[in-house]
Amino acid sequence: MFRRSSYSGQEGNNCVEVARTRAGVAVRDSKAPECRFGVTPAGFGRFVAAARRGRFDLP
């Protein structure tokens, strides 16, 4: 089951969704749910940590 961020808008159609899988974590864009990729739990943890530090913020 995919989950959306609590920061998503009311419509929820412009966000990243994540789900746990047997192999790790699945990630998809809510605008294109058929396109998804998998990542290890450790890799996803590093991504979340970098996002929290502002690594992916736009100027």
Side-chain angles (χ1 to χ4, degrees), residues 2-16:
F2 278 88
R3 297 180 351 175
R4 290 188 179 138
S5 168
S6 60
Y7 292 100
S8 297
Q10 289 290 67
E11 286 118 37
N13 59 357
N14 192 21
C15 59
V16 172

Side-chain angles (χ1 to χ4, degrees), residues 29-47:
D29 184 333
S30 61
K31 294 184 299 294
E34 67 282 356
C35 299
R36 58 182 82 166
F37 67 92
V39 64
T40 65
F44 188 70
R46 288 190 297 272
F47 168 75

